[in-house]
């Protein structure tokens, strides 16, 4: 897993825990497989978990991990969003993104695209032509972060977070590599600027190593296993599973001493945020507070008020 790697983690700052109340595990769920866009394979990471436990997060797809044959890589057609933020983190392979607000770019191997849809836009997410031609390994995550009512109709925004800007740390015994993408974990900050306060980190845990991390008591706490197997506060967990933690100020997890041959480390994504605690009306690509606002979003989209496909993309279908 390229993401961002460090040859000698012992040179990194150590994140220890002086916290006192380890969070217990409230649920472990297994992500069902699905297909997104033009048919790329995903795991629906949050399926079956109540929205109030996920708040402020609403949806997450693990994209791949998949080894594409030549000509096989797929993306999405142009489609709209309103009312939340999409966060796309690519560990292996490359993804191209463009939106009707002028945002976009190419991300690869540890980069993150942070798109605040706000009042609305159209966008397209797809592998670049050279990757379609060659095929290859593809592995990423797309997370949807809700916006509070006061921010849902704010102007769209776009942040490109480069792998080299990610905040890096390790644990007391150097058994883990912690990459802070947004917010803060144990005093280490990431480059993402978030609308509502959240923390997002990708942690690689060495075989047999344990991790204790301080975690803000006012944040929820989610741990998704991208690869490998281990335990969360004593409960077994493996790739494709999500743990939701209860109240407390510390996360305790670790990797099993033996792993499948295809992964060296247990790879986990940690998410936490301050719950927004507002009603959610969600249909397709729109996440609002009321059903009337969702209907308005469809109307605005049909009327072209969420933007149009930039001219140089030519005429393509827009799917809602
Ligand atoms: Mn999208």
């Amino acid at each position: 897993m390229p993401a961002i790697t460090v040859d000698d983690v012992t040179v990194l700052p150590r994140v220890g825990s002086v916290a006192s109340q380890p969070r217990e595990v409230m649920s472990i769920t297994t992500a069902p497989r699905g297909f997104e866009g033009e048919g790329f394979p995903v795991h629906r990471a949050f399926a079956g978990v109540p929205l109030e436990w996920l708040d402020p997060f609403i949806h997450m797809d693990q994209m791949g991990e998949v080894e594409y044959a030549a000509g096989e890589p797929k993306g999405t057609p142009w489609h709209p969003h309103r009312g939340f933020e999409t966060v796309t983190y690519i560990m292996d392979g490359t993804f191209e993104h463009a939106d009707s607000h002028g945002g976009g770019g190419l991300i690869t191997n540890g980069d993150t695209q942070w798109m605040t849809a706000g009042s609305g836009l159209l966008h397209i997410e797809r592998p670049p032509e050279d990757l379609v031609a060659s095929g290859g390994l593809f592995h990423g995550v797309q997370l949807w972060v809700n916006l509070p009512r006061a921010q849902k109709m704010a102007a769209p925004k776009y942040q490109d977070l480069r792998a080299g800007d990610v905040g890096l740390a390790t644990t007391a015994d150097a058994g883990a590599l912690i990459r802070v993408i947004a917010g803060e974990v144990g005093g280490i900050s990431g480059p993402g600027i978030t609308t509502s306060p959240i923390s997002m980190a990708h942690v690689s845990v060495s075989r047999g190593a344990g991790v204790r991390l301080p975690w803000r008591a006012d944040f929820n706490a989610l741990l998704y296993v991208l690869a490998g197997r281990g335990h969360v506060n004593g409960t077994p967990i493996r790739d494709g599973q999500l743990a939701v933690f209860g109240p407390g100020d510390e996360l305790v997890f670790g990797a099993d001493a033996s792993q499948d041959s295809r992964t060296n480390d247990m790879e986990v994504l940690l998410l936490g945020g301050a719950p927004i605690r507002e009603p959610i009306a969600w249909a397709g690509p729109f996440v609002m507070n009321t059903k009337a606002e969702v209907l308005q979003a469809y109307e605005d989209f049909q009327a072209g008020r969420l933007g149009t496909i930039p001219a140089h993309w030519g005429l393509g279908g827009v799917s809602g």
Side-chain angles (χ1 to χ4, degrees):
M1 177 164 312
I4 188 140
T5 53
V6 173
D7 290 335
D8 179 11
V9 295
T10 63
V11 303
L12 297 174
R14 310 285 169 124
V15 173
S17 185
V18 290
S20 57
Q21 194 197 347
R23 289 172 177 249
E24 288 183 8
V25 175
M26 296 204 296
S27 73
I28 291 186
T29 45
T30 301
R33 289 191 60 122
F35 291 92
E36 192 49 72
E38 292 161 340
F40 56 91
V42 296
H43 288 91
R44 309 290 190 193
F46 293 171
V49 181
L51 279 172
E52 61 266 31
W53 288 8
L54 300 172
D55 189 9
F57 308 104
I58 38 190
H59 174 77
M60 190 168 80
D61 278 340
Q62 180 187 11
M63 308 185 290
E65 174 178 6
V66 57
E67 180 78 45
Y68 283 124
E72 203 183 39
K74 296 177 179 70
T76 71
W78 283 90
H79 60 279
H81 290 298
R82 172 181 279 178
F84 63 101
E85 307 185 84
T86 65
V87 179
T88 309
Y89 174 54
I90 299 295
M91 289 162 282
D92 293 290
T94 306
F95 222 36
E96 187 179 25
H97 180 195
D99 68 54
S100 56
H101 198 71
L106 207 61
I107 55 166
T108 184
N109 296 343
D111 297 333
T112 300
Q113 291 173 328
W114 201 292
M115 185 191 78
T116 307
S119 61
L121 43 59
L122 306 181
H123 79 163
I124 186 170
E125 307 149 279
R126 63 178 194 178
E129 275 168 28
D130 59 328
L131 183 68
V132 176
S134 65
L137 187 61
F138 181 77
H139 191 196
V141 163
Q142 186 171 93
L143 171 71
W144 291 14
V145 187
N146 203 2
L147 286 169
R149 189 192 309 269
Q151 297 291 327
K152 282 193 181 291
M153 295 300 281
K157 244 184 354 200
Y158 190 84
Q159 299 173 68
D160 241 330
L161 311 178
R162 290 297 157 194
D165 296 330
V166 161
L168 297 175
T170 188
T171 46
D173 64 358
L177 171 60
I178 302 164
R179 306 167 188 84
V180 183
I181 297 163
E184 171 269 331
V185 175
I188 305 295
S189 294
I193 298 165
T194 70
T195 304
S196 58
I198 72 162
S199 293
M200 173 178 180
H202 169 196
V203 183
S204 301
V205 189
S206 303
R207 293 169 188 236
V211 178
R212 303 182 82 97
L213 284 182
W215 203 254
R216 276 177 58 163
D218 59 332
F219 277 13
N220 69 343
L222 310 173
L223 180 153
Y224 180 76
V225 182
L226 296 158
R229 55 175 181 255
H231 46 90
V232 280
N233 204 32
T235 306
I237 192 167
R238 58 169 304 133
D239 56 297
Q241 291 189 317
L242 177 81
V244 179
F245 292 90
D249 58 10
E250 180 182 45
L251 301 187
V252 180
F253 56 96
D256 285 355
S258 78
Q259 300 285 339
D260 294 341
S261 57
R262 49 188 283 282
T263 181
N264 263 320
D265 299 334
M266 178 195 189
E267 306 285 347
V268 307
L269 195 72
L270 299 178
L271 298 168
I276 294 170
R277 295 197 179 95
E278 290 176 0
I280 293 174
W282 172 10
F286 306 124
V287 182
M288 306 302 291
N289 296 115
T290 68
K291 197 175 166 189
E293 290 166 349
V294 171
L295 293 173
Q296 184 66 51
Y298 275 105
E299 244 179 78
D300 289 347
F301 166 56
Q302 297 297 348
R305 288 191 287 267
L306 297 193
T308 51
I309 301 172
H312 66 272
W313 285 84
L315 293 173
V318 180
S319 71

